[in-house]
Amino acid sequence: MNGLKYLIWTCTRAYETRYAYSLGDGKPLPDELSASEARMLIDKAADFGVGHFFITPGGGGEPLLRKDILEIVRHASKSGLMPYVKTNGWRIDDHMAGDLASCNCKVIISIAGLKEVDDTLRGIGAHERSINAARLCAKEGILFSLSVVNTRHVVNQIRDLVELAMHLGSRGFSLACLIPQPICVEEQLSMLGPLEPTAEEHDKELNEIYALSKELGNKIRLMAYDMFYNRILKTKEPSLKLRSRCSLCHNLESNEWLEVLDDGKAYGCSPSGIVFGDVRKDSLEEILNRIRTSDIVKRLADPNNIKGKCHICEFNTICGGCRARAYIHSGDMFAEDPLCPYKPRLKR
């Protein structure tokens, strides 16, 4: 079987400023992977043939708070990986942008909306600092995407935010779901739930992203990392051949997706809480083999096992709802996804 397509490393949950949607206490875990352990993970990833290596925060954390981040990114690049860093950008100046560019690192800048919303959710001056970082990265040719945290406050800002991304010179634009998150699963409903768009508002966003993708063509890549987007696509273009967007289930057929948290534990889908290994002692091949032979993953991949309206929905095989979000809301990974407003037409 081929190497792994995407390896996502949630490198820290540390943050210096608490956002309205931050999780945890802002402190790094005591057993967070060290610089040498991060290099070991990269070496394993390179040996296994990882295509894309994403360094991301957890729960509002900030990767650039790690003093060893440039060392780690540089090692990833020298090892033949394609590194990406997702950051608020507040620590990026001309020198840092140049260093990241020299490592062939792509940067994803995270914001919480247009200026008024962003400064409300992240603090006065937050928006300007992130946008300045985006400009510096664009100048170096490394601005991969502008990622917007999807709260109810940005539902009517999608077009303006996409236009902002284009104006900055970003190659892409994406919405980042509030739920599920890789850490603090037990906190998410109480902490993040009140900030989420309604199911109907979220559907509106996805339809607008589809319309903008048709309008703008290849000018910018609009990335809808959402299970429901397949339903939108299939409704608009019935002839499209689509597969489920669940990367956990894709691992049954190919090495698609692996998440490694800051403590080194490896997951096919981290919010689900099902651990398949520890990168400190296990190879990526061992971890992915455990996912592929997992009874629960096989059951989750079978649309007949999903409950509620997700079970009877005619889009079941190409959507099926987010199993992690179902788990966070109900404690049952097989339950229907509560964020979907669609009413199935078929009964099984």
Side-chain angles (χ1 to χ4, degrees), residues 289-342:
N289 280 339
R290 289 173 192 150
I291 296 175
R292 193 159 17 261
T293 57
S294 166
D295 178 65
I296 192 166
V297 174
K298 291 177 182 177
R299 288 167 55 208
L300 287 167
D302 185 345
N304 293 310
N305 293 327
I306 308 305
K307 302 173 184 177
K309 69 178 184 180
C310 287
H311 175 76
I312 64 172
C313 183
E314 63 269 34
F315 298 105
N316 180 299
T317 57
I318 61 171
C319 175
C322 175
R323 300 298 95 221
R325 188 160 50 224
Y327 174 67
I328 289 171
H329 277 265
S330 69
D332 182 359
M333 281 183 283
F334 295 89
E336 67 180 48
D337 189 328
L339 196 60
C340 180
Y342 183 71

Side-chain angles (χ1 to χ4, degrees), residues 37-110:
E37 290 169 332
R39 290 195 301 271
M40 175 264 301
L41 169 61
I42 288 166
D43 292 341
K44 289 184 177 183
D47 289 342
F48 194 66
V50 167
H52 303 270
F53 180 57
F54 287 83
I55 301 173
T56 68
E62 175 48 50
L64 298 189
L65 284 177
R66 288 191 61 129
K67 295 179 180 179
D68 54 10
I69 192 66
L70 281 175
E71 172 192 347
I72 291 168
V73 170
R74 191 172 291 112
H75 187 71
S77 182
K78 288 182 178 179
S79 299
L81 301 182
M82 185 178 293
Y84 303 76
V85 172
K86 186 174 183 179
T87 170
N88 61 22
W90 296 354
R91 289 177 168 250
I92 294 179
D93 54 16
D94 288 280
H95 183 71
M96 173 68 82
D99 284 343
L100 290 169
S102 71
C103 299
N104 195 30
C105 178
K106 307 304 180 187
V107 177
I108 302 165
I109 298 291
S110 178

Side-chain angles (χ1 to χ4, degrees), residues 72-255:
I72 291 168
V73 170
R74 191 172 291 112
H75 187 71
S77 182
K78 288 182 178 179
S79 299
L81 301 182
M82 185 178 293
Y84 303 76
V85 172
K86 186 174 183 179
T87 170
N88 61 22
W90 296 354
R91 289 177 168 250
I92 294 179
D93 54 16
D94 288 280
H95 183 71
M96 173 68 82
D99 284 343
L100 290 169
S102 71
C103 299
N104 195 30
C105 178
K106 307 304 180 187
V107 177
I108 302 165
I109 298 291
S110 178
I111 64 174
L114 298 177
K115 188 177 188 305
E116 183 177 355
V117 167
D118 202 352
D119 285 357
T120 298
L121 295 180
R122 296 197 299 166
I124 299 298
H127 188 75
E128 183 178 356
R129 294 169 72 185
S130 292
I131 296 305
N132 183 60
R135 290 194 179 102
L136 292 174
C137 290
K139 183 180 177 181
E140 295 287 347
I142 59 174
L143 181 58
F144 179 72
S145 182
L146 187 69
S147 178
V148 177
V149 177
N150 191 20
T151 67
R152 54 188 171 82
H153 301 286
V154 302
V155 171
N156 296 316
Q157 296 187 354
I158 302 302
R159 174 177 285 274
D160 289 340
L161 287 164
V162 170
E163 290 178 354
L164 173 62
M166 293 176 64
H167 176 72
L168 291 169
S170 176
R171 301 180 190 179
F173 168 87
S174 65
L175 282 179
C177 290
L178 273 177
I179 297 175
Q181 292 291 323
I183 69 168
C184 303
V185 170
E186 65 284 351
E187 293 182 11
Q188 291 186 33
L189 277 186
S190 60
M191 297 292 294
L192 306 181
L195 287 170
E196 278 207 305
T198 66
E200 291 74 20
E201 287 172 334
H202 186 48
D203 220 45
K204 174 181 178 291
E205 292 174 317
L206 294 180
N207 275 282
E208 186 168 9
I209 286 174
Y210 175 83
L212 285 168
S213 71
K214 293 301 179 183
E215 175 185 332
L216 299 173
N218 295 325
K219 293 180 180 179
I220 188 170
R221 184 184 178 194
L222 302 183
M223 293 165 278
Y225 297 122
D226 196 287
M227 303 294 289
F228 307 145
Y229 197 59
N230 269 4
R231 170 173 52 80
I232 305 296
L233 288 171
K234 193 68 173 177
T235 301
K236 304 290 188 182
E237 302 178 52
S239 63
L240 284 178
K241 302 296 183 183
L242 302 169
R243 65 172 186 169
S244 167
R245 289 173 172 250
C246 180
S247 296
L248 172 64
C249 298
H250 290 171
N251 285 332
L252 293 172
E253 300 176 358
S254 63
N255 295 321

